[in-house]
Amino acid sequence: MNGERSLVTYHIGEYGHIRLKVAEMLDSRNITRNRLRTLTGIKYEIIDRYYKAKSVEWVDLDFLAKVCYVLDCKVEDLLEYVEPS
């Protein structure tokens, strides 16, 4: 299968997960969630959800683009693929 894997044959969780690193990025730069709200125009509640990494099932590409622009970082600074253990 050319190195491809099918999710159909795997059980949920066996394919790893995406870890949000928004809190790490903000904390390392001493930027508060409120300051990020001011710089991006994104609602505090949305920033807080990404910061706490809770209830995030879908990633908003516009959110990522705005945060990357304001923080002058790359998407991989905010997201990390964690392989299954």
Side-chain angles (χ1 to χ4, degrees):
M1 247 174 84
N2 300 336
E4 298 170 349
R5 295 181 273 188
S6 171
L7 290 177
V8 176
T9 61
Y10 288 82
H11 297 288
I12 295 175
E14 288 185 8
Y15 48 84
H17 66 279
I18 302 296
R19 185 172 75 85
L20 292 170
K21 302 190 300 183
V22 174
E24 293 171 31
M25 177 61 74
L26 292 178
D27 293 347
S28 71
R29 295 185 180 200
N30 294 317
I31 297 175
T32 65
R33 287 169 273 180
N34 197 44
R35 179 71 179 145
L36 186 62
R37 179 192 60 79
T38 301
L39 293 171
T40 61
I42 299 170
K43 292 181 181 180
Y44 181 87
E45 294 79 14
I46 294 171
I47 293 170
D48 190 53
R49 188 176 335 131
Y50 281 89
Y51 184 88
K52 293 178 179 176
K54 291 187 178 179
S55 303
V56 179
E57 295 178 15
W58 297 91
V59 178
D60 182 345
L61 297 179
D62 191 53
F63 171 87
L64 291 176
K66 287 178 180 179
V67 173
C68 285
Y69 177 80
V70 167
L71 299 181
D72 190 27
C73 68
K74 297 180 179 182
V75 172
E76 48 274 22
D77 295 327
L78 303 173
L79 303 174
E80 176 185 12
Y81 171 67
V82 178
E83 294 188 20
S85 48

